[in-house]
Amino acid sequence: MSKIATLELDGKKYEFPVIVGSENEVGIDINKLRDLSGAITMDPGYKNSGSCTSEITFLDGEEGILRYRGYAIEDLADKADFLEVAFLIIFGELPTKQQLTQFENDIRKYTLVNEEMKNIIDGFPKTAHPMGVLSSLTSALTAFNPKVVNVDNEKEMYEAVCKTMGKFLVIATWTYRKMMGYPLNYYDNTKGYVENFMHLMFALPTGPYSANPVVIDALDKLFILHADHEQNCSTSTVRIVGSSHAGLFASISAGVSALWGPLHGGANQAVLEMLEEIHKNGGDCDKYMAKAKDKDDPFRLMGFGHRVYKNFDPRARIIKKAADEVLQTLGVNDPILDIAKKLEEAALVDDYFVSRKLYPNVDFYSGIIYRALGIPTDMFTVMFAIGRLPGWIAQWKEMRINKEPIGRPRQIYTGHPLRDFKPMNQR
Ligand code: SDX
């Protein structure tokens, strides 16, 4: 017996079907609301509004659960590697050994970026923020790969996935090379995907380079933890841009821009800058906790709070443990980590944070590891984008294959009623 929701407005009752998901989430289908009642709903920030059904990621904010295609994030972070998880998220199943090897080799076919793209990156000042450069370069990829992918053609879609995974990693690292004034590196097809990230970022023509396996393993885990997160701000952006049938590169470029914001992916950079400021000012956590609670102070405890998680962000728990392990293995003693732990401990017993269910999120500890791995702060959100790429691709692909309608929300107008034009001499 399917559920029905009833709404009463101006004495009239309206019934709407109810959708129940595979994890018993309940959604009221208001598709006919305006046709039937003339009314729309209002939900700034979409805190209570579902934009789609999806089979990719499930998260339960109250229980602190995160699963990609039904697999627990704890298992995937512990037992899989990033390309394996990317394959799972994009194609729906964990790959066989043969499929994974094929996927890695097929990505290698597309890791050469057109040399003319270097003219574009040359146009940026060294001081340009890497996220702005990355968004521009991603959009520019369309100019060199203008073929519109037929999403219903499995082979074409697979090639577009491999091309995006291959080229995005290269141009993401070029943003760092540009900032440092280094020559741009090429993907090395003899190395793995995450190992190539380190090669692309840090190899110099003046001598041999090999990345520390501890660093590669830590990055692999971090990329997995960032790989998807259902309808977050940047993923919703990728979906809505793609819903106009804009191409995959253009949609991902928009997602990069949305991720850049300090309330979203830009928080990992903001957390490190906040922790460094606290450290510089003598490590007085109480002062910053007071600022975070002061309504007249715009300061927020960056890396804390989440739209969905009203319990611990399971990714933060894993990253916090990894931070301890990586810093210990690398012999890094970073006072910033101690300040982060002090802040967390203080917030977890402070009524302001407890009553608002504000816990550390994925961005709170990730920057500490990135810093220990030698990644500069300005590149932290680019790291988030590299991890989130499979999720953006998968969500765009699902939206297009499901032939979802163009995204076009309604509004309630609160401006002037009709008024006569006022000639210049009467203004
Ligand atoms: C990511 O959506 C995703 O899934 C995102 C993400 C992903 O994987 O894609 O998980 C990645 O973006 C993580 C979030 C990173 N951002 C930050 O760490 C920035 C700091 N956090 C906040 O700005 C905030 O918590 C948000 C943006 C994350 C969530 O904002 P909401 O859901 O709109 O909540 P809100 O702003 O309405 O806050 C509710 C209350 C308010 O106080 P009251 O008005 O009720 O008195 O909590 C307060 C807020 O002032 N609050 C904070 C706070 N976060 C919320 N107060 C101090 N410090 C904070 N960090």
Side-chain angles (χ1 to χ4, degrees):
M1 162 76 167
S2 55
K3 287 186 179 185
I4 290 288
T6 306
L7 173 82
E8 184 169 345
L9 182 62
D10 299 335
K12 277 185 77 177
K13 287 191 177 182
Y14 305 92
E15 292 194 339
F16 300 96
V18 171
I19 301 169
V20 180
S22 50
E23 291 291 340
N24 299 316
E25 295 166 300
V26 174
I28 302 168
D29 179 351
I30 55 166
N31 228 317
K32 298 273 182 284
L33 173 65
R34 192 169 184 276
D35 291 347
L36 294 173
S37 71
I40 62 167
T41 58
M42 281 296 290
D43 189 19
Y46 310 112
K47 293 188 177 185
N48 306 281
S49 298
S51 60
C52 60
T53 59
S54 177
E55 299 177 356
I56 300 169
T57 289
F58 170 69
L59 58 92
D60 180 325
E62 283 68 32
E63 299 300 321
I65 291 171
L66 172 58
R67 299 183 198 135
Y68 298 153
R69 300 282 187 181
Y71 294 96
I73 190 65
E74 292 81 4
D75 280 347
L76 294 171
D78 191 31
K79 298 168 186 157
D81 73 28
F82 178 54
L83 274 196
E84 199 175 350
V85 171
F87 187 99
L88 167 69
I89 288 174
I90 295 168
F91 300 110
E93 296 296 338
L94 284 168
T96 61
K97 183 93 186 92
Q98 192 274 330
Q99 284 172 322
L100 183 58
T101 305
Q102 189 63 50
F103 187 46
E104 186 154 33
N105 288 332
D106 289 336
I107 288 170
R108 286 177 172 138
K109 294 175 189 165
Y110 300 103
T111 55
L112 261 185
V113 174
N114 191 299
E115 287 291 305
E116 288 179 73
M117 284 278 285
K118 293 182 176 180
N119 302 331
I120 297 170
I121 198 165
D122 283 346
F124 285 96
K126 279 172 67 172
T127 52
H129 192 288
M131 286 296 277
V133 179
L134 179 57
S135 177
S136 305
L137 290 181
T138 306
S139 185
L141 283 173
T142 311
F144 300 95
N145 305 276
K147 185 171 180 290
V148 175
V149 65
N150 171 2
V151 295
D152 297 318
N153 178 312
E154 217 169 287
K155 184 173 176 298
E156 279 192 35
M157 191 67 236
Y158 176 79
E159 281 172 4
V161 167
C162 295
K163 187 179 285 188
T164 308
M165 289 293 292
K167 296 186 187 301
F168 190 84
L169 183 74
V170 175
I171 60 175
T173 61
W174 281 8
T175 66
Y176 170 72
R177 304 291 287 194
K178 168 71 191 180
M179 192 165 65
M180 301 301 288
Y182 291 159
L184 304 179
N185 275 333
Y186 294 89
Y187 195 100
D188 176 344
N189 282 349
T190 67
K191 298 180 190 300
Y193 191 81
V194 177
E195 185 183 6
N196 253 295
F197 167 78
M198 293 300 286
H199 161 75
L200 287 158
M201 283 280 286
F202 299 115
L204 292 174
T206 46
Y209 174 81
S210 62
N212 182 331
V214 171
V215 171
I216 294 170
D217 186 51
L219 280 175
D220 205 279
K221 190 188 288 274
L222 282 163
F223 287 151
I224 289 171
L225 293 168
H226 287 81
D228 192 53
H229 215 239
E230 54 135 278
Q231 304 312 313
N232 59 84
C233 178
S234 55
T235 299
S236 296
T237 301
V238 170
R239 273 185 173 252
I240 202 164
V241 169
S243 73
S244 73
H245 288 197
L248 183 52
F249 289 136
S251 304
I252 287 171
S253 170
V256 171
S257 297
L259 187 72
W260 192 359
L263 294 188
H264 188 16
N268 57 17
Q269 173 172 348
V271 167
L272 236 293
E273 289 162 354
M274 171 186 76
L275 294 173
E276 282 174 336
E277 187 187 331
I278 295 173
H279 180 53
K280 202 170 65 198
N281 294 344
D284 179 2
C285 292
D286 295 341
K287 175 182 151 197
Y288 286 85
M289 293 280 287
K291 281 170 64 70
K293 298 189 288 189
D294 178 356
K295 286 299 161 205
D296 297 327
D297 189 327
F299 175 82
R300 285 199 157 188
L301 203 59
M302 300 312 277
F304 259 77
H306 197 277
R307 171 60 59 76
V308 177
Y309 287 124
K310 299 308 172 192
N311 189 324
F312 233 86
D313 181 333
R315 302 166 297 176
R317 216 192 289 274
I318 297 170
I319 294 176
K320 179 183 177 183
K321 183 167 170 285
D324 276 327
E325 291 162 359
V326 169
L327 270 66
Q328 194 180 7
T329 309
L330 295 175
V332 171
N333 178 21
D334 188 348
I336 296 286
L337 178 58
D338 300 331
I339 290 177
K341 288 180 178 176
K342 238 173 90 181
L343 266 180
E344 178 190 347
E345 279 155 29
L348 294 183
V349 296
D350 182 293
D351 181 57
Y352 174 92
F353 289 88
V354 173
S355 62
R356 290 168 177 81
K357 299 183 179 175
L358 304 177
Y359 295 93
N361 58 49
V362 67
D363 293 309
F364 190 60
Y365 284 103
S366 53
I368 292 164
I369 300 185
Y370 291 145
R371 193 163 108 128
L373 303 183
I375 312 284
T377 309
D378 272 355
M379 284 294 288
F380 286 6
T381 312
V382 171
M383 301 301 287
F384 194 142
I386 292 169
R388 185 51 53 89
L389 181 66
W392 286 336
I393 295 171
Q395 300 268 354
W396 185 92
K397 176 170 168 279
E398 182 178 70
M399 175 275 303
R400 286 298 310 275
I401 288 175
N402 290 350
K403 304 210 177 327
E404 288 182 14
I406 186 168
R408 200 270 183 224
R410 289 279 183 159
Q411 63 160 33
I412 295 295
Y413 177 70
T414 55
H416 287 284
L418 178 65
R419 48 184 177 162
D420 296 334
F421 183 78
K422 196 179 282 182
M424 187 62 83
N425 60 11
Q426 292 176 24
R427 293 175 200 168

